[in-house]
Amino acid sequence: MEEQEYILLKGNEAIAHAAIRCGCDGFFGYPITPQSEIIETLALEKPWETTGMVVLQAESELASINMVYGGGATGKRVMTSSSSPGVALMQEGITYMAGAEIPGLIVNVQRGGPGLGTIQPSQSDYIQATRGGGNGDYNTIVLAPATVQEMADFVDLSFELAFKYRTPVMMLSDGVIGQMMEKVKLPPFKARLTRDEIEEKYPWAATGKRKPGQSPRIFTSLDLDPQVMEDHNKDLQQKYSTIKENEVRYEQKYCDDADYVVVAFGSAARISTKAIETLREEGLKVGLFRPITLWPFPEKELLELSQHVKGFICIEINAGQMVDDIRLAIKCSKPVVQYGRMGGMVPTPEEIAEVIKQNAR
Amino acid sequence: MKHEIIIAGYGGQGVLSMGKMLAYAALVEGKEVTWMPAYGPEQRGGTANVTVIVSDEYISSPILNTFDIAVVLNQASLWRFQKLVKPGGVIIYDPNAIMEPPTRTDVSIYSIAATEAAIEMHNSKAYNMLVLGGLIQAVPMVKVDNVLKGLRKTLPERHHHLIPMNEEALRKGMQILEKK
C-alpha cells in the first residue's frame, strides 16, 4: 500500500480529496460560504478525468439533494455538501432518502443562523441533524469531525455506514474545521465500484434493465395503505435500533480522575480541550467527553461516566441543543450546565476556562 | 516549544499567504501546525488576520484570544492585537503609516520597514516574504531552508522561477528587522 505523507489542507479541501480517493461516484452541490472550497477543490482536481467521478454544480440545493437521491438509488457513492441555510433547503430530499432507504452523504459545514444568519461558524444545526430534520420518524447517522484528519477520514466511513444500513449519513462540521488548515494524511486510493460489483453487492440497486424473473426496483417513500406504511416504519425503527447498538463513537480525554467533565463536539471540543489543559495545570480535575457520532448519541457511555463525576459542563456553539441529550442520557442524575455563543461568535479558550471554573467548584 | 501567532493587516498584503508559508515550513520540520483565518467578506483594503500555531506537541484549540507573537501590519491591527500579546511575548510591526507605535513595555518590540524595502525591490509581491524573514529572525521557529522547501513543495512548477526572488526577500527581511 502506498504510504501517504502529511500535507497541509483546509478541512473543506480534505473532504474533496478524500471523496476522490474513496471511490466516490458523484458530487452534486451548490456553493455557499463557508464550504465552497469543497466544490472548488473538486473542480480544480478534475476527478472526472482520472477516477471518472462526476462533479456537478447543480442549479440549487434542492436539485443537489435530489441528484443524490437518484445516484444513491443506483447504488452509486454520491454526496452533496452545503452550509446551514442550504442544508435546511435539503431536508425534504433527506427525509425521502430515509423513507426510500437510499444511501448517500450530506456534509453540513455549519454557519450561524437562524435564516440566512451569518457566514461565521456555528453548531446550531445539532437538533436538525440529530432529529432527522425533515418530516416523519427517521434519523440520519451524524458524524462530527473535530480535526482536518477526521474531515478526510469520515468521508469513506460515512459511505460505508450509508451503504451498510441503506440510510443517509450526515457529516456535521462547522466553519472553524472547514476553514482551518492542519496536517493530514489522505487515505489511499480506492477504486470506484464497477456496475457488476454494484449488482453483486447491492441487489436492491436500480442498475438497468430487469433480468428475467427479477422483481422491479421501486424506490419510494410513499404508500397510501397505512398498515403497509406502519410496517415499513417498524422496519426503519428496527434498523435505527441496530445502528444505536453498533455505531456509537466517542472520545474521552482526562476523564479517569475527573470530578467534572466537559461534553463538547467538533470545534467546541478543540477549544474546550485547551481550556481543560490550562485548568489541569492549575490542579482542577476536569475531563473531556467528545461525542463523535451525534446520532446515535453515546448515551450508555455518558450514563456510566455520570456515576463517577460530580457534574457535566456542556460547551456547544449554540443556545443549548446537545445539553438535552446529555440530561436524557444521564437520566438527570447529575447537574449539567450549558455554555455557548450564537450567531457566528466562537468562544475563546479563556472564556470556556472561566465557565468551567465557575461551575466546577 | 509552542508559538501562538497572530498575523494581521490589510487584505492584499499577503497576510494569509505569509501564514501559509510559515505553516508549510513547520510541516517540513515535522512540527504540529494549525492555520486559522478570520474568514469573511474580506477583500483588498479590508482587514485580514490569521492565527498560526507552531508546536512540537498536539495543538488543541486553533482559536485563541492571547498570543505569544503578534505581527501587525497596519494601525488598526496594532490597536486591536497589541493588548492580546502575553507578557514576555513579541510584537513585530511595520512602521509605514503607523502614527501610534506599540506602547507595551512588558514585551519585545521589533519594527520591520517592509513596505519601504518592497518599494526598493520594485516588487510589492515580496512584501509578505520580507515580513516573514523578520519574524523568523526575531523568533527562529523554522529554518530559512525549510521555508524555501515548503515553497518548492506547494508552488506549482510554473511559478518556481519566483523562488529566488522570494529567497532574496526572506533574507532581506531578516537583515532589516530592528529591535526597539
Side-chain angles (χ1 to χ4, degrees), chain B residues 104-136:
Chain B
R104 289 272 299 263
T105 51
D106 57 344
V107 299
S108 305
I109 295 171
Y110 295 88
S111 81
I112 179 159
T115 304
E116 224 175 86
I119 292 168
E120 273 170 29
M121 285 175 79
H122 302 288
N123 193 345
S124 62
K125 283 182 182 149
Y127 180 76
N128 59 355
M129 287 306 266
L130 284 155
V131 178
L132 181 58
L135 170 62
I136 62 175

PDB file of all heavy atoms in Angstrom, chain B residues 104-136:
ATOM      1  N   ARG B 104       3.474  48.865  24.657  1.00  0.00           N
ATOM      2  CA  ARG B 104       3.686  47.865  25.716  1.00  0.00           C
ATOM      3  C   ARG B 104       5.153  47.880  26.163  1.00  0.00           C
ATOM      4  O   ARG B 104       6.066  48.032  25.352  1.00  0.00           O
ATOM      5  CB  ARG B 104       3.339  46.458  25.193  1.00  0.00           C
ATOM      6  CG  ARG B 104       1.851  46.207  24.980  1.00  0.00           C
ATOM      7  CD  ARG B 104       1.174  45.703  26.240  1.00  0.00           C
ATOM      8  NE  ARG B 104       1.692  44.450  26.738  1.00  0.00           N
ATOM      9  CZ  ARG B 104       1.136  43.260  26.492  1.00  0.00           C
ATOM     10  NH1 ARG B 104       0.075  43.144  25.713  1.00  0.00           N
ATOM     11  NH2 ARG B 104       1.645  42.179  27.040  1.00  0.00           N
ATOM     12  N   THR B 105       5.377  47.702  27.473  1.00  0.00           N
ATOM     13  CA  THR B 105       6.753  47.683  27.975  1.00  0.00           C
ATOM     14  C   THR B 105       7.154  46.296  28.468  1.00  0.00           C
ATOM     15  O   THR B 105       8.302  46.057  28.809  1.00  0.00           O
ATOM     16  CB  THR B 105       6.911  48.684  29.137  1.00  0.00           C
ATOM     17  OG1 THR B 105       5.869  48.427  30.091  1.00  0.00           O
ATOM     18  CG2 THR B 105       6.816  50.115  28.642  1.00  0.00           C
ATOM     19  N   ASP B 106       6.176  45.371  28.515  1.00  0.00           N
ATOM     20  CA  ASP B 106       6.472  44.029  29.034  1.00  0.00           C
ATOM     21  C   ASP B 106       6.632  42.989  27.924  1.00  0.00           C
ATOM     22  O   ASP B 106       6.555  41.799  28.165  1.00  0.00           O
ATOM     23  CB  ASP B 106       5.353  43.595  29.996  1.00  0.00           C
ATOM     24  CG  ASP B 106       3.985  43.615  29.322  1.00  0.00           C
ATOM     25  OD1 ASP B 106       3.857  44.238  28.239  1.00  0.00           O
ATOM     26  OD2 ASP B 106       3.053  43.002  29.869  1.00  0.00           O
ATOM     27  N   VAL B 107       6.814  43.458  26.680  1.00  0.00           N
ATOM     28  CA  VAL B 107       7.028  42.537  25.559  1.00  0.00           C
ATOM     29  C   VAL B 107       8.212  43.046  24.725  1.00  0.00           C
ATOM     30  O   VAL B 107       8.605  44.210  24.851  1.00  0.00           O
ATOM     31  CB  VAL B 107       5.772  42.438  24.647  1.00  0.00           C
ATOM     32  CG1 VAL B 107       4.574  41.909  25.402  1.00  0.00           C
ATOM     33  CG2 VAL B 107       5.438  43.793  24.015  1.00  0.00           C
ATOM     34  N   SER B 108       8.785  42.166  23.907  1.00  0.00           N
ATOM     35  CA  SER B 108       9.849  42.617  22.997  1.00  0.00           C
ATOM     36  C   SER B 108       9.208  43.198  21.751  1.00  0.00           C
ATOM     37  O   SER B 108       8.297  42.591  21.180  1.00  0.00           O
ATOM     38  CB  SER B 108      10.738  41.450  22.571  1.00  0.00           C
ATOM     39  OG  SER B 108      11.251  40.805  23.700  1.00  0.00           O
ATOM     40  N   ILE B 109       9.707  44.377  21.345  1.00  0.00           N
ATOM     41  CA  ILE B 109       9.113  45.030  20.186  1.00  0.00           C
ATOM     42  C   ILE B 109      10.147  45.165  19.066  1.00  0.00           C
ATOM     43  O   ILE B 109      11.287  45.571  19.305  1.00  0.00           O
ATOM     44  CB  ILE B 109       8.535  46.411  20.570  1.00  0.00           C
ATOM     45  CG1 ILE B 109       7.379  46.190  21.556  1.00  0.00           C
ATOM     46  CG2 ILE B 109       8.045  47.171  19.333  1.00  0.00           C
ATOM     47  CD1 ILE B 109       6.856  47.440  22.195  1.00  0.00           C
ATOM     48  N   TYR B 110       9.740  44.753  17.864  1.00  0.00           N
ATOM     49  CA  TYR B 110      10.601  44.875  16.699  1.00  0.00           C
ATOM     50  C   TYR B 110       9.857  45.660  15.630  1.00  0.00           C
ATOM     51  O   TYR B 110       8.639  45.541  15.512  1.00  0.00           O
ATOM     52  CB  TYR B 110      10.917  43.496  16.109  1.00  0.00           C
ATOM     53  CG  TYR B 110      11.717  42.592  17.014  1.00  0.00           C
ATOM     54  CD1 TYR B 110      11.062  41.775  17.937  1.00  0.00           C
ATOM     55  CD2 TYR B 110      13.107  42.514  16.924  1.00  0.00           C
ATOM     56  CE1 TYR B 110      11.770  40.919  18.751  1.00  0.00           C
ATOM     57  CE2 TYR B 110      13.831  41.667  17.740  1.00  0.00           C
ATOM     58  CZ  TYR B 110      13.155  40.868  18.659  1.00  0.00           C
ATOM     59  OH  TYR B 110      13.864  40.019  19.458  1.00  0.00           O
ATOM     60  N   SER B 111      10.618  46.429  14.836  1.00  0.00           N
ATOM     61  CA  SER B 111       9.966  47.028  13.669  1.00  0.00           C
ATOM     62  C   SER B 111      10.637  46.476  12.418  1.00  0.00           C
ATOM     63  O   SER B 111      11.817  46.102  12.441  1.00  0.00           O
ATOM     64  CB  SER B 111      10.057  48.554  13.717  1.00  0.00           C
ATOM     65  OG  SER B 111      11.319  48.969  13.245  1.00  0.00           O
ATOM     66  N   ILE B 112       9.853  46.374  11.362  1.00  0.00           N
ATOM     67  CA  ILE B 112      10.417  45.939  10.093  1.00  0.00           C
ATOM     68  C   ILE B 112       9.853  46.833   8.991  1.00  0.00           C
ATOM     69  O   ILE B 112       8.635  46.861   8.755  1.00  0.00           O
ATOM     70  CB  ILE B 112      10.156  44.436   9.825  1.00  0.00           C
ATOM     71  CG1 ILE B 112      10.752  44.038   8.475  1.00  0.00           C
ATOM     72  CG2 ILE B 112       8.670  44.079   9.903  1.00  0.00           C
ATOM     73  CD1 ILE B 112      11.003  42.572   8.330  1.00  0.00           C
ATOM     74  N   ALA B 113      10.739  47.582   8.339  1.00  0.00           N
ATOM     75  CA  ALA B 113      10.300  48.535   7.312  1.00  0.00           C
ATOM     76  C   ALA B 113      10.124  47.799   5.991  1.00  0.00           C
ATOM     77  O   ALA B 113      10.836  48.040   5.012  1.00  0.00           O
ATOM     78  CB  ALA B 113      11.312  49.670   7.189  1.00  0.00           C
ATOM     79  N   ALA B 114       9.147  46.916   5.964  1.00  0.00           N
ATOM     80  CA  ALA B 114       8.991  46.041   4.806  1.00  0.00           C
ATOM     81  C   ALA B 114       8.335  46.752   3.622  1.00  0.00           C
ATOM     82  O   ALA B 114       8.620  46.436   2.468  1.00  0.00           O
ATOM     83  CB  ALA B 114       8.176  44.804   5.191  1.00  0.00           C
ATOM     84  N   THR B 115       7.456  47.716   3.921  1.00  0.00           N
ATOM     85  CA  THR B 115       6.826  48.458   2.817  1.00  0.00           C
ATOM     86  C   THR B 115       7.910  49.182   2.016  1.00  0.00           C
ATOM     87  O   THR B 115       7.975  49.092   0.790  1.00  0.00           O
ATOM     88  CB  THR B 115       5.814  49.490   3.367  1.00  0.00           C
ATOM     89  OG1 THR B 115       4.862  48.789   4.182  1.00  0.00           O
ATOM     90  CG2 THR B 115       5.071  50.194   2.253  1.00  0.00           C
ATOM     91  N   GLU B 116       8.799  49.861   2.772  1.00  0.00           N
ATOM     92  CA  GLU B 116       9.915  50.578   2.171  1.00  0.00           C
ATOM     93  C   GLU B 116      10.811  49.629   1.370  1.00  0.00           C
ATOM     94  O   GLU B 116      11.179  49.910   0.222  1.00  0.00           O
ATOM     95  CB  GLU B 116      10.730  51.195   3.308  1.00  0.00           C
ATOM     96  CG  GLU B 116      11.183  52.615   3.098  1.00  0.00           C
ATOM     97  CD  GLU B 116      11.860  53.089   4.388  1.00  0.00           C
ATOM     98  OE1 GLU B 116      13.078  52.842   4.570  1.00  0.00           O
ATOM     99  OE2 GLU B 116      11.132  53.670   5.218  1.00  0.00           O
ATOM    100  N   ALA B 117      11.153  48.510   1.976  1.00  0.00           N
ATOM    101  CA  ALA B 117      12.057  47.544   1.325  1.00  0.00           C
ATOM    102  C   ALA B 117      11.440  46.973   0.054  1.00  0.00           C
ATOM    103  O   ALA B 117      12.130  46.763  -0.952  1.00  0.00           O
ATOM    104  CB  ALA B 117      12.410  46.418   2.292  1.00  0.00           C
ATOM    105  N   ALA B 118      10.126  46.727   0.093  1.00  0.00           N
ATOM    106  CA  ALA B 118       9.445  46.188  -1.093  1.00  0.00           C
ATOM    107  C   ALA B 118       9.468  47.203  -2.227  1.00  0.00           C
ATOM    108  O   ALA B 118       9.627  46.841  -3.394  1.00  0.00           O
ATOM    109  CB  ALA B 118       8.003  45.802  -0.751  1.00  0.00           C
ATOM    110  N   ILE B 119       9.336  48.483  -1.874  1.00  0.00           N
ATOM    111  CA  ILE B 119       9.393  49.543  -2.890  1.00  0.00           C
ATOM    112  C   ILE B 119      10.803  49.585  -3.499  1.00  0.00           C
ATOM    113  O   ILE B 119      10.970  49.649  -4.713  1.00  0.00           O
ATOM    114  CB  ILE B 119       9.007  50.927  -2.291  1.00  0.00           C
ATOM    115  CG1 ILE B 119       7.521  50.910  -1.911  1.00  0.00           C
ATOM    116  CG2 ILE B 119       9.288  52.064  -3.275  1.00  0.00           C
ATOM    117  CD1 ILE B 119       7.053  52.078  -1.062  1.00  0.00           C
ATOM    118  N   GLU B 120      11.811  49.499  -2.623  1.00  0.00           N
ATOM    119  CA  GLU B 120      13.201  49.474  -3.104  1.00  0.00           C
ATOM    120  C   GLU B 120      13.455  48.308  -4.039  1.00  0.00           C
ATOM    121  O   GLU B 120      14.216  48.387  -4.992  1.00  0.00           O
ATOM    122  CB  GLU B 120      14.168  49.366  -1.922  1.00  0.00           C
ATOM    123  CG  GLU B 120      14.534  50.711  -1.324  1.00  0.00           C
ATOM    124  CD  GLU B 120      15.292  50.544  -0.008  1.00  0.00           C
ATOM    125  OE1 GLU B 120      15.992  49.519   0.155  1.00  0.00           O
ATOM    126  OE2 GLU B 120      15.147  51.433   0.855  1.00  0.00           O
ATOM    127  N   MET B 121      12.809  47.176  -3.733  1.00  0.00           N
ATOM    128  CA  MET B 121      12.966  45.971  -4.578  1.00  0.00           C
ATOM    129  C   MET B 121      12.101  46.065  -5.840  1.00  0.00           C
ATOM    130  O   MET B 121      12.115  45.158  -6.667  1.00  0.00           O
ATOM    131  CB  MET B 121      12.563  44.716  -3.799  1.00  0.00           C
ATOM    132  CG  MET B 121      13.564  44.258  -2.753  1.00  0.00           C
ATOM    133  SD  MET B 121      12.916  42.856  -1.780  1.00  0.00           S
ATOM    134  CE  MET B 121      13.206  41.493  -2.910  1.00  0.00           C
ATOM    135  N   HIS B 122      11.329  47.156  -5.972  1.00  0.00           N
ATOM    136  CA  HIS B 122      10.372  47.319  -7.078  1.00  0.00           C
ATOM    137  C   HIS B 122       9.452  46.111  -7.184  1.00  0.00           C
ATOM    138  O   HIS B 122       9.163  45.623  -8.268  1.00  0.00           O
ATOM    139  CB  HIS B 122      11.093  47.538  -8.419  1.00  0.00           C
ATOM    140  CG  HIS B 122      11.986  48.731  -8.405  1.00  0.00           C
ATOM    141  ND1 HIS B 122      11.494  50.025  -8.396  1.00  0.00           N
ATOM    142  CD2 HIS B 122      13.332  48.834  -8.351  1.00  0.00           C
ATOM    143  CE1 HIS B 122      12.514  50.869  -8.344  1.00  0.00           C
ATOM    144  NE2 HIS B 122      13.642  50.168  -8.320  1.00  0.00           N
ATOM    145  N   ASN B 123       9.057  45.586  -6.030  1.00  0.00           N
ATOM    146  CA  ASN B 123       8.263  44.356  -6.053  1.00  0.00           C
ATOM    147  C   ASN B 123       7.337  44.305  -4.842  1.00  0.00           C
ATOM    148  O   ASN B 123       7.723  43.875  -3.763  1.00  0.00           O
ATOM    149  CB  ASN B 123       9.201  43.146  -6.058  1.00  0.00           C
ATOM    150  CG  ASN B 123       8.448  41.885  -6.403  1.00  0.00           C
ATOM    151  OD1 ASN B 123       7.218  41.850  -6.375  1.00  0.00           O
ATOM    152  ND2 ASN B 123       9.176  40.838  -6.730  1.00  0.00           N
ATOM    153  N   SER B 124       6.098  44.736  -5.051  1.00  0.00           N
ATOM    154  CA  SER B 124       5.166  44.744  -3.919  1.00  0.00           C
ATOM    155  C   SER B 124       4.817  43.322  -3.483  1.00  0.00           C
ATOM    156  O   SER B 124       4.396  43.098  -2.360  1.00  0.00           O
ATOM    157  CB  SER B 124       3.892  45.503  -4.305  1.00  0.00           C
ATOM    158  OG  SER B 124       3.248  44.844  -5.379  1.00  0.00           O
ATOM    159  N   LYS B 125       5.029  42.357  -4.385  1.00  0.00           N
ATOM    160  CA  LYS B 125       4.683  40.965  -4.049  1.00  0.00           C
ATOM    161  C   LYS B 125       5.686  40.352  -3.074  1.00  0.00           C
ATOM    162  O   LYS B 125       5.439  39.293  -2.515  1.00  0.00           O
ATOM    163  CB  LYS B 125       4.601  40.128  -5.319  1.00  0.00           C
ATOM    164  CG  LYS B 125       3.309  40.397  -6.064  1.00  0.00           C
ATOM    165  CD  LYS B 125       3.189  39.536  -7.297  1.00  0.00           C
ATOM    166  CE  LYS B 125       1.904  39.892  -8.029  1.00  0.00           C
ATOM    167  NZ  LYS B 125       2.022  39.706  -9.464  1.00  0.00           N
ATOM    168  N   ALA B 126       6.836  41.026  -2.912  1.00  0.00           N
ATOM    169  CA  ALA B 126       7.842  40.484  -1.986  1.00  0.00           C
ATOM    170  C   ALA B 126       7.500  40.837  -0.544  1.00  0.00           C
ATOM    171  O   ALA B 126       8.142  40.357   0.383  1.00  0.00           O
ATOM    172  CB  ALA B 126       9.218  41.048  -2.338  1.00  0.00           C
ATOM    173  N   TYR B 127       6.464  41.676  -0.373  1.00  0.00           N
ATOM    174  CA  TYR B 127       6.182  42.257   0.940  1.00  0.00           C
ATOM    175  C   TYR B 127       6.058  41.213   2.060  1.00  0.00           C
ATOM    176  O   TYR B 127       6.733  41.298   3.080  1.00  0.00           O
ATOM    177  CB  TYR B 127       4.902  43.103   0.876  1.00  0.00           C
ATOM    178  CG  TYR B 127       4.545  43.728   2.204  1.00  0.00           C
ATOM    179  CD1 TYR B 127       5.252  44.828   2.677  1.00  0.00           C
ATOM    180  CD2 TYR B 127       3.533  43.204   2.997  1.00  0.00           C
ATOM    181  CE1 TYR B 127       4.953  45.400   3.898  1.00  0.00           C
ATOM    182  CE2 TYR B 127       3.226  43.764   4.221  1.00  0.00           C
ATOM    183  CZ  TYR B 127       3.938  44.865   4.673  1.00  0.00           C
ATOM    184  OH  TYR B 127       3.642  45.418   5.896  1.00  0.00           O
ATOM    185  N   ASN B 128       5.193  40.200   1.832  1.00  0.00           N
ATOM    186  CA  ASN B 128       4.948  39.281   2.953  1.00  0.00           C
ATOM    187  C   ASN B 128       6.153  38.391   3.242  1.00  0.00           C
ATOM    188  O   ASN B 128       6.365  37.971   4.381  1.00  0.00           O
ATOM    189  CB  ASN B 128       3.663  38.466   2.749  1.00  0.00           C
ATOM    190  CG  ASN B 128       3.668  37.641   1.493  1.00  0.00           C
ATOM    191  OD1 ASN B 128       4.603  37.715   0.690  1.00  0.00           O
ATOM    192  ND2 ASN B 128       2.626  36.853   1.307  1.00  0.00           N
ATOM    193  N   MET B 129       6.999  38.134   2.230  1.00  0.00           N
ATOM    194  CA  MET B 129       8.198  37.340   2.480  1.00  0.00           C
ATOM    195  C   MET B 129       9.215  38.139   3.277  1.00  0.00           C
ATOM    196  O   MET B 129       9.955  37.590   4.089  1.00  0.00           O
ATOM    197  CB  MET B 129       8.816  36.846   1.162  1.00  0.00           C
ATOM    198  CG  MET B 129       8.024  35.739   0.504  1.00  0.00           C
ATOM    199  SD  MET B 129       7.714  34.317   1.595  1.00  0.00           S
ATOM    200  CE  MET B 129       9.064  33.259   1.158  1.00  0.00           C
ATOM    201  N   LEU B 130       9.260  39.449   3.051  1.00  0.00           N
ATOM    202  CA  LEU B 130      10.126  40.318   3.860  1.00  0.00           C
ATOM    203  C   LEU B 130       9.715  40.234   5.335  1.00  0.00           C
ATOM    204  O   LEU B 130      10.540  40.067   6.225  1.00  0.00           O
ATOM    205  CB  LEU B 130      10.008  41.768   3.372  1.00  0.00           C
ATOM    206  CG  LEU B 130      10.742  42.116   2.075  1.00  0.00           C
ATOM    207  CD1 LEU B 130      10.097  43.313   1.391  1.00  0.00           C
ATOM    208  CD2 LEU B 130      12.221  42.397   2.345  1.00  0.00           C
ATOM    209  N   VAL B 131       8.402  40.330   5.563  1.00  0.00           N
ATOM    210  CA  VAL B 131       7.901  40.286   6.937  1.00  0.00           C
ATOM    211  C   VAL B 131       8.174  38.918   7.561  1.00  0.00           C
ATOM    212  O   VAL B 131       8.590  38.821   8.725  1.00  0.00           O
ATOM    213  CB  VAL B 131       6.390  40.611   6.979  1.00  0.00           C
ATOM    214  CG1 VAL B 131       5.870  40.521   8.404  1.00  0.00           C
ATOM    215  CG2 VAL B 131       6.119  41.996   6.409  1.00  0.00           C
ATOM    216  N   LEU B 132       7.970  37.855   6.766  1.00  0.00           N
ATOM    217  CA  LEU B 132       8.221  36.504   7.285  1.00  0.00           C
ATOM    218  C   LEU B 132       9.693  36.356   7.688  1.00  0.00           C
ATOM    219  O   LEU B 132      10.004  35.754   8.724  1.00  0.00           O
ATOM    220  CB  LEU B 132       7.830  35.447   6.236  1.00  0.00           C
ATOM    221  CG  LEU B 132       8.023  33.993   6.644  1.00  0.00           C
ATOM    222  CD1 LEU B 132       7.242  33.651   7.918  1.00  0.00           C
ATOM    223  CD2 LEU B 132       7.590  33.042   5.518  1.00  0.00           C
ATOM    224  N   GLY B 133      10.588  36.929   6.860  1.00  0.00           N
ATOM    225  CA  GLY B 133      12.019  36.921   7.201  1.00  0.00           C
ATOM    226  C   GLY B 133      12.252  37.575   8.555  1.00  0.00           C
ATOM    227  O   GLY B 133      12.982  37.045   9.406  1.00  0.00           O
ATOM    228  N   GLY B 134      11.603  38.712   8.771  1.00  0.00           N
ATOM    229  CA  GLY B 134      11.723  39.412  10.052  1.00  0.00           C
ATOM    230  C   GLY B 134      11.221  38.557  11.202  1.00  0.00           C
ATOM    231  O   GLY B 134      11.853  38.477  12.264  1.00  0.00           O
ATOM    232  N   LEU B 135      10.096  37.903  10.983  1.00  0.00           N
ATOM    233  CA  LEU B 135       9.505  37.065  12.039  1.00  0.00           C
ATOM    234  C   LEU B 135      10.455  35.933  12.447  1.00  0.00           C
ATOM    235  O   LEU B 135      10.689  35.718  13.642  1.00  0.00           O
ATOM    236  CB  LEU B 135       8.150  36.492  11.561  1.00  0.00           C
ATOM    237  CG  LEU B 135       7.520  35.412  12.439  1.00  0.00           C
ATOM    238  CD1 LEU B 135       7.204  35.939  13.837  1.00  0.00           C
ATOM    239  CD2 LEU B 135       6.237  34.863  11.808  1.00  0.00           C
ATOM    240  N   ILE B 136      11.013  35.216  11.449  1.00  0.00           N
ATOM    241  CA  ILE B 136      11.851  34.070  11.835  1.00  0.00           C
ATOM    242  C   ILE B 136      13.246  34.517  12.304  1.00  0.00           C
ATOM    243  O   ILE B 136      13.986  33.741  12.882  1.00  0.00           O
ATOM    244  CB  ILE B 136      11.957  32.996  10.717  1.00  0.00           C
ATOM    245  CG1 ILE B 136      12.622  33.552   9.455  1.00  0.00           C
ATOM    246  CG2 ILE B 136      10.579  32.436  10.394  1.00  0.00           C
ATOM    247  CD1 ILE B 136      12.844  32.466   8.402  1.00  0.00           C
TER     248      ILE B 136
END
